[in-house]
Amino acid sequence: MQETTSSRDGDYAVRRCTPEDIPSVINVNAVTLPEHYSDYFYYEILKDFPSTFLIAENGGRVAGYIMCRMEYGLSMTRRFGLAKKGHIISVAVLREYRGRGVGTKLIREALEEVRKENGKECYLEVRITNEGAIELYKRLGFKVTSTLHGYYKDGESAYTMALSL
Ligand SMILES: CC(C)(COP(=O)(O)OP(=O)(O)OC[C@H]1O[C@@H](n2cnc3c(N)ncnc32)[C@H](O)[C@@H]1OP(=O)(O)O)[C@@H](O)C(=O)NCCC(=O)NCCS
């Protein structure tokens, strides 16, 4: 998987993350999101789910990333039954690269990889005040499936949003 998106400001290549990219991914996470993870967590996710851990590069710089986990459990898009599903753990784009389709491209590519892993649906949690991200997910076809009250450490609630693949 190696694709390039063109934009006014340059090219964004979306490719699989490597262990060497992890420090840059941790930096993107640190400056964009309040939810941080141990370094170990990133390396473990990369080891266990390499095909759905992607980065967007611009001129050799990591502009954004998406990391997912494949899970098996109750379907979130059908009323009954179990499903293999992709869980988007975290997605972020550095502020200076936003609004150019990088986030959309990362998510689309990850969904394609979840499909290849035989995932039948994909879901995520998002802060209920994160209007930009919620709008982006809706445009990609995700629907709100539940509200997780007080989900985050600071007490804010989350929506779960899911998409059938
Ligand atoms: C959410 C995020 C990944 C989107 O990345 P991006 O590269 O800017 O996304 P795109 O350029 O593909 O945006 C596509 C669409 O999303 C919506 N969108 C994105 N940011 C938005 C904002 N701040 N306000 C309103 N809509 C927004 C718009 O519909 C946009 O389409 P448009 O550019 O035609 O208006 C990025 O804003 C980010 O890293 N935010 C901080 C981290 C975060 O909140 N991650 C999600 C946690 S669940």
Side-chain angles (χ1 to χ4, degrees):
M1 205 237 17
Q2 178 82 23
E3 263 206 57
T4 305
T5 296
S6 291
S7 83
R8 270 179 296 132
D9 307 291
D11 289 340
Y12 300 94
V14 172
R15 63 164 173 83
R16 278 193 189 191
C17 185
T18 67
E20 292 70 35
D21 297 316
I22 294 287
S24 301
V25 168
I26 290 173
N27 175 59
V28 174
N29 171 270
V31 298
T32 54
L33 279 165
E35 286 73 46
H36 310 305
Y37 312 93
S38 67
D39 293 9
Y40 174 80
F41 182 77
Y42 291 91
Y43 288 103
E44 280 299 292
I45 293 291
L46 180 61
K47 179 164 68 67
D48 293 343
F49 309 102
S51 70
T52 52
F53 197 149
L54 308 176
I55 60 154
E57 249 183 349
N58 177 259
R61 186 174 183 215
V62 175
Y65 71 90
I66 185 165
M67 65 173 170
C68 312
R69 180 163 55 207
M70 295 304 299
E71 298 172 359
Y72 187 72
L74 285 179
S75 170
M76 303 182 70
T77 58
R78 288 174 293 121
R79 209 193 264 255
F80 303 108
L82 298 168
K84 187 168 182 184
K85 48 196 182 181
H87 180 184
I88 299 179
I89 301 168
S90 185
V91 54
V93 173
L94 287 174
R95 190 171 292 280
E96 57 264 45
Y97 296 104
R98 289 185 196 161
R100 302 175 191 178
V102 178
T104 300
K105 184 159 182 59
L106 280 167
I107 298 168
R108 279 194 201 284
E109 296 284 346
L111 292 176
E112 194 49 44
E113 296 301 319
V114 169
R115 246 184 234 114
K116 286 185 196 161
E117 297 285 340
N118 210 24
K120 302 299 182 208
E121 50 193 65
C122 192
Y123 80 101
L124 54 88
E125 294 89 13
V126 59
R127 286 178 180 265
I128 62 171
T129 56
N130 194 347
E131 290 171 14
I134 293 168
E135 183 62 26
L136 169 53
Y137 300 140
K138 282 186 176 164
R139 281 173 58 157
L140 286 166
F142 284 83
K143 290 194 171 65
V144 172
T145 52
S146 67
T147 304
L148 306 173
H149 297 281
Y151 179 77
Y152 295 100
K153 269 194 182 143
D154 59 10
E156 189 173 342
S157 300
Y159 292 131
T160 56
M161 297 183 75
L163 168 76
S164 189
L165 295 173

